[in-house]
Amino acid sequence: MLPPGSSVEGVVELSGAVCSISYALDTVESTVKRVSDDRFGAIATFIGTTRNSFQGKAVTKLEYQAYTKLALKTMTQIIVDARNRSPDFRAVVQHRIGVVGVGEPSIVIAVASPHRNEAFRTCEFILEEVKRKAQIWKREYYEGEDESEAEWKSNV
Amino acid sequence: MSFPAHITVLYFAAASTTLGITDELVPIPEKGLYLSQLTELLIERHSQSSLNALRKILDSSQWSIDAEMVDDEDLTKVELKDGMEVAVICPVSGG
């Protein structure tokens, strides 16, 4: 089955933040460079990768879909909410769609803040909110099982 | 001659896998339709599919209209209009 026509690449640029959905991720190094700012002394990064097993079953790959225009709106609001908690940061949030193999990254978040406390907390806040709200779905494929039986997961 | 009003319904993840489609044009009945009534209409349209699976998915999903989420308590208040893009938002699993 073809992925939904609305599951496409997209980017939203805000002041001091970029959110994107794409088939390939930028390198962590280039993402870190993007958030770097001489005013800020701390950069926190999170990389989510595909694990090789789930409840004893061997995972062969993951597949992600997004309702991109809504997911990007949601990610934008998450950045706004993060700024209400801690206004001073630069951030990049990138989520992959399509097939993601075992060991490969599916999400990268980088946050640069004046100090380490806010950098860690803002990075974690963004991650937890993306997992809770972003209109993105993950399908997990297991070894030895028919691909048509692969389950769409839920973060709930 | 009047053109029947239609909405576009978008399916993702489990909803699209169960139905075998990712989107469809759904005519709105002449008497109108509230978002809360859409589940029944979609189940009627897809009566040849696995109904239990479809109902379970739709009952556990949220909805969006024109890329804005609709709160569950507003489903009975929102009337569907010609040209709206309605998406079935199954429980998400990003990140």
Side-chain angles (χ1 to χ4, degrees):
Chain A
M1 236 186 96
L2 288 177
S6 307
S7 183
V8 292
E9 297 194 306
V11 182
V12 172
E13 294 203 22
L14 312 152
S15 170
V18 180
C19 301
S20 69
I21 289 173
S22 54
Y23 289 109
L25 296 179
D26 295 332
T27 63
V28 176
E29 193 186 339
S30 65
T31 301
V32 162
K33 269 210 179 103
R34 276 174 105 175
V35 300
S36 293
D37 189 313
D38 288 347
R39 295 172 294 149
F40 297 153
I43 300 172
T45 60
F46 174 81
I47 303 156
T49 59
T50 299
R51 283 187 294 160
N52 60 7
S53 73
F54 176 76
Q55 293 184 348
K57 294 194 277 192
V59 172
T60 54
K61 63 184 179 185
L62 296 185
E63 185 194 339
Y64 287 91
Q65 277 181 10
Y67 182 14
T68 299
K69 71 178 140 177
L70 181 50
L72 287 175
K73 269 193 193 176
T74 301
M75 287 157 85
T76 297
Q77 187 58 48
I78 291 169
I79 297 292
V80 168
D81 293 346
R83 288 218 188 278
N84 282 333
R85 294 158 64 97
S86 188
D88 241 344
F89 66 83
R90 288 173 63 78
V92 169
V93 184
Q94 286 199 335
H95 203 299
R96 240 170 109 177
I97 46 170
V99 174
V100 179
V102 168
E104 286 180 37
S106 49
I107 183 172
V108 173
I109 302 171
V111 174
S113 295
H115 303 289
R116 64 191 184 283
N117 223 318
E118 307 112 304
F120 278 130
R121 284 206 242 167
T122 300
C123 188
E124 185 176 23
F125 176 79
I126 292 171
L127 172 64
E128 295 302 328
E129 289 289 275
V130 167
K131 287 180 85 73
R132 194 163 71 87
K133 297 177 180 169
Q135 288 81 2
I136 299 172
W137 296 272
K138 169 174 90 173
R139 192 178 194 187
E140 215 158 68
Y141 293 82
Y142 304 117
E143 203 171 79
E145 288 187 9
D146 200 274
E147 296 218 330
S148 63
E149 303 292 305
E151 258 180 53
W152 289 96
K153 312 294 291 191
S154 162
N155 283 345
V156 163
Chain B
M1 184 172 94
S2 68
F3 287 95
H6 282 85
I7 55 170
T8 300
V9 180
L10 302 183
Y11 302 103
F12 298 90
S16 74
T17 302
T18 297
L19 282 174
I21 57 172
T22 60
D23 56 272
E24 61 173 336
L25 273 178
V26 175
I28 302 174
E30 267 194 49
K31 58 176 157 65
L33 192 73
Y34 287 95
L35 184 51
S36 55
Q37 300 169 304
L38 185 57
T39 292
E40 286 307 320
L41 193 113
L42 295 178
I43 287 178
E44 262 179 57
R45 276 177 74 77
H46 296 282
S47 51
Q48 80 290 352
S49 302
S50 168
L51 284 186
N52 280 337
L54 180 60
R55 184 180 288 283
K56 206 169 155 199
I57 288 166
L58 295 180
D59 283 347
S60 70
S61 295
Q62 292 187 288
W63 301 84
S64 69
I65 293 182
D66 294 338
E68 300 272 351
M69 294 301 291
V70 179
D71 284 335
D72 288 346
E73 60 256 27
D74 293 336
L75 296 181
T76 52
K77 303 176 202 153
V78 176
E79 217 187 316
L80 298 178
K81 303 263 182 238
D82 188 40
M84 280 180 168
E85 180 175 283
V86 180
V88 178
I89 308 292
C90 316
V92 298
S93 45

